[in-house]
Amino acid sequence: MAAAVETETHEVIIIGAGVCGIYMLHRMLDMGVDATVLEAGDGLGGTWYWNRYPGARFDSESYSYGYSFDAEILEEWNWSEHFAGQPETLSYLNFVADKLGVRPHMQFGCRVKSCAFADDTNSWLVTLEDGRRLSCTYLLTAIGMLSAATPPRIEGVDTFAGQAFHTYYWPQEPVDFSGKRVAVIGTGATGVQVIGEIADKVGSLTVYQRRPNWCAPLHNRPITEAEMADIKARYDDIFEQCSRTPGAFLHGPDRRSFDEVPEAERLAFWEELYASPGFGVWLGNFRDVLVEQEPNQEYSAFIADKIRERVHDPEVAEKLIPKDHGFGSRRVPMETNYYEAYNRDNVELVDVNDTPIERITPRGIQTSDQERAFDVIIYATGFDAITGAFDRIDFTGVDGLKLADKWHNGPVTYLGVQVAGFPNMLTLAGPQGASVSSNFPPCIEFAVDWAADLIGHLRQRGVQRIEADASAEARWSEEIKAGYEGSLLATAKSWFTGYNSNVDGHDKMRYLMYLRGAPKYRERLNGVAENGYEGFVLD
Ligand code: NA7
């Protein structure tokens, strides 16, 4: 007789031990809630656990990416670079988890297969890939917005005889590139980091580019001891500054409009932005550059000239300049020596619009004109962003409603934190919230605090069930769509707008993000809480 499968019960289950899951767990334990984290990886860190590819690092200033909620953590942790690399960030998250003592409440190697809501008990039954079952009253998803990697759909990918990796699944042991013939497919933020980092470490590097992105220099550098002491003294100001900008970064728009600044002054300002570290070059511009066509075109032309200055071969430079979208309408990859890589004799750029990839062969990559042989192929081909991690779990709500069906034409949520028909489930860092369009940690701290307060409220009142009202959800969908109006972001095809050529059905616009900015988002959610959680049905 087969032994009955025991069900482990908790009040709260959090899926994911990344930046969001770590803090959510801390808040729950602090409130005396019986909570556990289920994590697919063998360690914590989420994005920073998986993405071990060479060159992986922050594009936000390190000290604006760390958590702000704990004075001791801020005091004890020292960042070594203005934009820290992946190993340091992973160490930081492990340091935080140990400092908070949350690790014993995390379960690793647990890939969640399905989550089903039981109407009679108002609880969720969570089933893992290995067959284990757990149940909880509140299910909190902290599953990441870029955690469902999408390898390219190219014939023959399984036939390649050399080493091949998607950047997200980079091996834990370092890869030796010396003397190797290496290919990179993809030139998004990831590909651009990899290419800049490995160009001078490989035998040869061939980059397969479909659409170029507007990239800009990161200007990273070490943080001295004196600088770190100064940063520590200014943490209140740093987080205050982040709280005021739309993207919760240190960089916010310049209040002047493009038109009101004389040309010479404008160019001097743009030179300054280009020479400054971080996202200022994208987000610190005149307020209309990311909204109006004309200023955007002018700025794009300015950046195009920078690319022409940096890339010696004019033909290669032209291939690297985007022609189908303006600067900043897709995610701007921040780079170190990216354009200079193309000046090296061992680096070749293949434009797959001229010579499309036909197949991966056992030896390498066959394009329409030739086969090139490789030892290593790197797929920097991105993610099924924001909804992909949800689609990989079989969520069933009331009356057998499947989340994948409900979201078939794009996600619908209330406030980006709940979905009607899925009671007691909170989608932290999920679609249509502000965290997915902003500097993640500050926004996630807000979302986690809001969710923790909500759970506190429900426990205090003995509420057994909370569910978003369908009409409130419909109004939120309209608000989300309205946020896209007049935004240049909505004009370009990218993961921001829900496109991914490697996923069926993702060939049209989907409304994935709250685009009215983090301050407005906080105001909206705080308003809802102050009004007794309007738009939710509490039972
Ligand atoms: P992205 O930004 O989605 O970039 C993926 C890249 O891969 C992009 O250049 C794609 O070209 C290219 N791609 C995808 N499939 C193919 C195929 N089949 N053939 C050729 N090229 C292909 O993902 P990243 O990982 O770089 O960045 C994701 C985020 O991670 C980033 O924004 C940061 O926030 C961290 P396309 O542009 O679609 O033509």
Side-chain angles (χ1 to χ4, degrees):
M1 203 172 77
V5 181
E6 290 217 5
T7 303
E8 180 183 317
T9 301
H10 298 274
E11 188 174 356
V12 164
I13 290 179
I14 301 161
I15 311 176
V19 172
C20 178
I22 292 169
Y23 183 46
M24 189 76 219
L25 178 60
H26 167 64
R27 283 299 318 264
M28 292 294 93
L29 298 176
D30 223 33
M31 284 163 57
V33 174
D34 165 28
T36 191
V37 162
L38 303 176
E39 165 57 51
D42 290 331
L44 59 80
T47 286
W48 301 105
Y49 172 83
W50 294 102
N51 282 290
R52 294 163 190 249
Y53 62 83
R57 66 174 61 253
F58 287 152
D59 287 338
S60 311
E61 283 73 4
S62 308
Y63 31 91
S64 75
Y65 193 97
Y67 297 108
S68 69
F69 66 87
D70 188 299
E72 273 184 35
I73 291 173
L74 291 171
E75 186 50 42
E76 288 175 24
W77 182 261
N78 296 310
W79 293 105
S80 73
E81 290 179 280
H82 283 267
F83 302 89
Q86 174 272 336
E88 184 168 349
T89 308
L90 187 58
S91 303
Y92 166 75
L93 292 173
N94 276 284
F95 162 79
V96 170
D98 289 335
K99 179 92 192 154
L100 300 174
V102 295
R103 196 189 297 272
H105 302 271
M106 294 175 169
Q107 307 185 43
F108 297 105
C110 298
R111 191 165 284 282
V112 174
K113 186 175 171 202
S114 65
C115 301
F117 185 69
D119 225 7
D120 50 348
T121 53
N122 289 320
S123 63
W124 282 91
L125 178 66
V126 177
T127 307
L128 306 183
E129 291 283 0
D130 65 7
R132 275 179 61 205
R133 292 160 24 131
L134 299 92
S135 78
C136 61
T137 309
Y138 300 110
L139 179 66
L140 310 183
T141 61
I143 50 185
M145 57 180 213
L146 294 162
S147 55
T150 47
R153 297 194 284 195
I154 304 174
E155 197 188 313
V157 277
D158 296 332
T159 65
F160 181 58
Q163 288 183 294
F165 329 100
H166 186 287
T167 47
Y168 187 71
Y169 292 114
W170 200 265
Q172 303 229 359
E173 325 71 57
V175 177
D176 177 16
F177 286 115
S178 50
K180 300 266 173 71
R181 298 161 301 173
V182 179
V184 175
I185 301 181
T187 51
T190 302
V192 165
Q193 286 187 330
V194 176
I195 293 160
E197 179 69 23
I198 67 172
D200 63 353
K201 299 177 182 66
V202 297
S204 69
L205 177 62
T206 309
V207 177
Y208 290 84
Q209 172 187 269
R210 188 163 63 186
R211 279 184 299 164
N213 282 294
W214 294 103
C215 311
L218 180 65
H219 297 301
N220 187 27
R221 63 180 175 81
I223 296 178
T224 64
E225 239 176 79
E227 275 178 322
M228 195 62 229
D230 175 58
I231 288 165
K232 285 181 183 176
R234 289 190 297 108
Y235 264 133
D236 285 350
D237 292 344
I238 288 170
F239 293 124
E240 159 68 17
Q241 193 174 334
C242 290
S243 77
R244 278 186 274 115
T245 65
F249 294 102
L250 280 171
H251 311 277
D254 189 294
R255 286 291 141 208
R256 293 170 297 172
S257 85
F258 165 85
D259 281 338
E260 73 191 53
V261 181
E263 192 180 359
E265 200 181 316
R266 188 198 304 157
L267 288 174
F269 177 57
W270 285 351
E271 289 290 351
E272 204 181 295
L273 287 182
Y274 199 79
S276 315
F279 273 145
V281 69
W282 181 21
L283 305 172
N285 220 314
F286 302 121
R287 59 185 152 84
D288 41 5
V289 166
L290 293 182
V291 184
E292 308 281 343
Q293 289 291 347
E294 197 212 322
N296 186 267
Q297 279 166 5
E298 291 278 336
Y299 191 57
S300 300
F302 169 84
I303 302 284
D305 282 344
K306 291 286 175 207
I307 299 172
R308 290 186 187 105
E309 276 168 29
R310 291 174 60 187
V311 178
H312 298 162
D313 181 332
E315 260 183 56
V316 176
E318 285 315 306
K319 284 188 191 303
L320 290 168
I321 296 171
K323 307 290 187 308
D324 66 336
H325 67 283
F327 184 92
S329 58
R330 301 175 87 195
R331 205 286 203 188
V332 175
M334 302 306 292
E335 45 86 21
T336 304
N337 294 328
Y338 175 63
Y339 290 112
E340 286 71 18
Y342 294 99
N343 298 332
R344 299 179 58 85
D345 290 340
N346 66 335
V347 177
E348 182 190 11
L349 178 66
V350 176
D351 185 333
V352 301
N353 301 292
D354 299 339
T355 53
I357 298 175
E358 290 183 340
R359 76 184 72 86
I360 307 292
T361 66
R363 270 169 29 98
I365 299 177
Q366 172 77 52
T367 47
S368 58
D369 61 338
Q370 61 174 291
E371 182 188 27
R372 289 175 180 81
F374 296 111
D375 303 303
V376 182
I377 299 179
I378 300 172
Y379 296 112
T381 46
F383 299 88
D384 185 0
I386 303 174
T387 51
F390 287 90
D391 288 342
R392 290 178 187 201
I393 297 174
D394 179 16
F395 288 100
T396 311
V398 289
D399 298 331
L401 178 65
K402 296 281 183 192
L403 188 67
D405 292 339
K406 178 158 179 168
W407 285 5
H408 184 69
N409 291 321
V412 270
T413 71
Y414 179 46
L415 307 175
V417 296
Q418 235 207 2
V419 184
F422 295 80
N424 293 7
M425 169 170 150
L426 299 176
T427 55
L428 307 166
Q432 303 190 338
S435 348
V436 288
S437 51
S438 315
N439 190 19
F440 196 70
C443 292
I444 213 57
E445 276 188 49
F446 168 76
V448 163
D449 286 337
W450 192 89
D453 289 350
L454 172 61
I455 289 173
H457 177 89
L458 301 176
R459 294 174 93 222
Q460 207 178 24
R461 283 167 181 69
V463 173
Q464 301 293 310
R465 172 174 171 137
I466 176 167
E467 184 175 359
D469 179 71
S471 58
E473 185 179 74
R475 284 196 298 278
W476 185 251
S477 290
E478 290 312 311
E479 197 170 328
I480 289 289
K481 279 186 192 165
Y484 279 69
E485 278 162 23
S487 165
L488 280 180
L489 273 186
T491 62
K493 290 182 183 175
S494 73
W495 65 264
F496 273 17
T497 39
Y499 288 84
N500 185 322
S501 67
N502 301 309
V503 182
D504 283 338
H506 288 191
D507 53 357
K508 54 186 175 301
M509 169 97 166
R510 290 178 302 132
Y511 296 93
L512 300 178
M513 300 178 176
Y514 183 86
L515 286 185
R516 287 185 162 161
K520 182 87 190 155
Y521 183 72
R522 289 195 299 271
E523 197 183 298
R524 286 288 283 115
L525 265 69
N526 286 337
V528 166
E530 280 156 22
N531 287 328
Y533 295 99
E534 62 183 350
F536 292 98
V537 180
L538 275 54
D539 199 351

